Amino acid sequence: MELIDTHCHLTFDPFTDQIEQVLRRSREAGVTSCITVGTTLEDSQKAIELAERHDNLYATVAVHPHEAKTVTDKTMAQLETLAQSEKVVAVGETGLDFHYDFSTPEQQKEAFTRHLELAADLNLPVIIHSREAFDETLTIMNEFQSTLPKVVFHCFSGSAEQAKILLDKGWYISFTGVVTFKNAEKTRDAAKIVPLDRLMLETDCPYMSPEPMRKQKVNEPALLIHTARFLAELKDLDFTDFARAVTATTKNFFALP
Ligand code: NI
C-alpha cells in the first residue's frame, strides 16, 4: 500500500532534529511520499533543501496568505527561481484567509493574484488555502478562466454545495483530519460527493491530528492513515481500492513518479 501526504510542513519547528524518525514512521505507516509546503520565501527554500536531501519528498513554493504583506516583485522573482528545482511540484499554499488579519484583504488578494500568475506561467498545479473567503477566492480565480493550471483546495472544510462548485470547475479537493472530527458533519457530507479521481489526502501537519489521535499534539505524515481509513469507510469502499485510486489521482495531479 502506498499513500501520499499532499500537504505537510516538515520544515516547521516540531520536526527539527527528528525528520529522519518522522519520515521513517511515515514509510512504516504506508505513507510513502510527502509534499512539504512552503509558506514564506525562506520556508520555501528550506522545503526544497529538505526535499533535495530525501527521496520521495517533494516541495512547493509560495508565501502564505498570512504573510501576504511581505510579497514584493522581488519575492515573486525569487519564488520563480526556486521553482526551477526538480523537487518543486506546485505553487502554494496561496489564497485568502479572512479568519485572521495578519495581512489585509487587499494585500492578500494582490499576493494571491500574483501566485496564480506564477503558477500559470510555470504551468505548475496550485494549492489553494481558502478560509472564510470562499466567494472572494472564486472571484479572483474566475478572472483566470482557462489560463489556470490544475487546482486543489487544501484542507477543505466547506459544504457539499461548495464542493460541487469546485468539482464543476474541474478542480480537486483535499481533506485533512478535520473530516474525522466529531463536529465535521458538513465536511463529511462534502467528502461523500467527491469522486476518487478528484480527491486527495493530507495531514497539514504539525497541525490537526485526526481522530482517534487528536490528542497527539504534533501531527505527522504517519497519521494520514487514520484519515484515509476514515474516508474509505465513509464512502463505503474497500480500503485498498480507495488508497490505490487516491494515490493514482495524486500522482497524476502533481506529476509524481
Ligand atoms: Ni498548510
Side-chain angles (χ1 to χ4, degrees), residues 7-9 12 37 39 64 93 129 154-155 202 204-205 207:
H7 191 122
C8 53
H9 297 285
F12 284 14
V37 169
T39 55
H64 192 282
E93 53 191 299
H129 171 111
H154 114 89
C155 193
E202 60 173 296
D204 204 12
C205 66
Y207 313 115

Coordinates of all heavy atoms in Angstrom, one line a residue, residues 7-9 12 37 39 64 93 129 154-155 202 204-205 207, ligand 1:
H7 N 0.2 17.5 1.7 CA 0.3 18.9 2.3 C 0.8 18.7 3.7 O 0.0 18.4 4.7 CB -1.0 19.6 2.3 CG -0.9 21.1 2.6 ND1 -1.3 22.1 1.7 CD2 -0.5 21.7 3.7 CE1 -1.2 23.2 2.3 NE2 -0.6 23.0 3.5
C8 N 2.1 18.9 3.9 CA 2.6 18.9 5.3 C 3.7 20.0 5.4 O 4.1 20.6 4.4 CB 3.2 17.5 5.7 SG 4.4 16.9 4.5
H9 N 4.0 20.3 6.6 CA 5.0 21.4 6.9 C 6.2 20.8 7.7 O 6.3 21.1 8.8 CB 4.3 22.5 7.6 CG 3.2 23.2 6.8 ND1 3.5 24.0 5.8 CD2 1.9 23.1 6.9 CE1 2.3 24.5 5.2 NE2 1.4 23.9 5.9
F12 N 8.7 22.9 9.8 CA 8.4 23.6 11.0 C 9.0 23.1 12.2 O 9.4 21.9 12.3 CB 6.8 23.6 11.2 CG 6.1 24.5 10.2 CD1 6.7 25.1 9.1 CD2 4.7 24.8 10.5 CE1 6.0 26.0 8.3 CE2 4.0 25.6 9.6 CZ 4.6 26.2 8.5
V37 N 5.1 21.9 2.1 CA 4.5 23.1 1.5 C 5.2 24.3 2.0 O 5.2 24.5 3.3 CB 3.0 23.1 1.7 CG1 2.4 24.4 1.3 CG2 2.3 21.9 1.0
T39 N 5.7 28.3 3.0 CA 4.8 29.3 3.5 C 5.3 30.7 3.4 O 4.6 31.7 3.6 CB 4.4 29.0 4.9 OG1 5.6 28.9 5.7 CG2 3.6 27.7 5.0
H64 N 2.4 32.2 2.1 CA 1.1 32.0 2.7 C 0.3 33.3 2.8 O 0.9 34.4 3.0 CB 1.3 31.4 4.1 CG 0.0 30.8 4.7 ND1 -0.9 31.6 5.3 CD2 -0.4 29.6 4.9 CE1 -1.9 30.8 5.8 NE2 -1.6 29.6 5.5
E93 N 1.2 27.2 -0.4 CA -0.2 27.4 -0.4 C -0.4 28.9 -0.6 O 0.2 29.7 0.0 CB -0.8 26.9 0.8 CG -0.2 27.4 2.1 CD -0.7 26.6 3.3 OE1 -2.0 26.7 3.6 OE2 0.1 26.0 4.0
H129 N -5.4 27.8 -0.3 CA -5.8 27.9 1.1 C -6.9 29.0 1.1 O -6.7 30.1 0.8 CB -4.6 28.4 1.9 CG -4.9 28.8 3.3 ND1 -4.5 28.0 4.4 CD2 -5.6 29.8 3.8 CE1 -5.0 28.6 5.5 NE2 -5.6 29.7 5.2
H154 N -7.1 23.0 -0.5 CA -6.5 22.2 0.5 C -7.3 22.4 1.8 O -8.0 23.4 2.0 CB -5.0 22.5 0.7 CG -4.6 23.2 1.9 ND1 -4.2 22.4 3.1 CD2 -4.5 24.5 2.3 CE1 -3.9 23.3 4.0 NE2 -4.1 24.5 3.6
C155 N -7.2 21.3 2.7 CA -7.9 21.4 4.0 C -9.3 21.8 3.8 O -9.8 22.7 4.5 CB -7.2 22.3 5.0 SG -7.7 22.0 6.7
E202 N -4.3 14.7 3.0 CA -3.2 15.5 3.6 C -3.3 15.5 5.1 O -4.4 15.3 5.6 CB -3.2 16.9 3.1 CG -4.5 17.6 3.5 CD -4.5 19.1 3.1 OE1 -3.7 19.8 3.7 OE2 -5.4 19.5 2.3
D204 N -1.6 18.3 6.8 CA -1.4 19.7 7.2 C -0.6 19.7 8.5 O -0.7 20.7 9.3 CB -2.7 20.5 7.3 CG -2.4 22.0 7.1 OD1 -1.3 22.4 6.7 OD2 -3.4 22.8 7.4
C205 N 0.2 18.7 8.7 CA 0.9 18.6 10.0 C 2.0 19.7 10.0 O 2.4 20.2 9.0 CB 1.6 17.2 10.1 SG 2.8 16.8 8.9
Y207 N -0.2 20.5 12.4 CA -1.5 20.8 13.0 C -2.5 19.7 12.7 O -2.3 18.8 11.9 CB -2.0 22.1 12.3 CG -1.0 23.2 12.2 CD1 -0.6 23.6 10.9 CD2 -0.5 23.8 13.3 CE1 0.3 24.7 10.8 CE2 0.4 24.8 13.2 CZ 0.8 25.2 12.0 OH 1.8 26.2 11.9
Ligands
NI1 NI -0.6 24.3 5.3

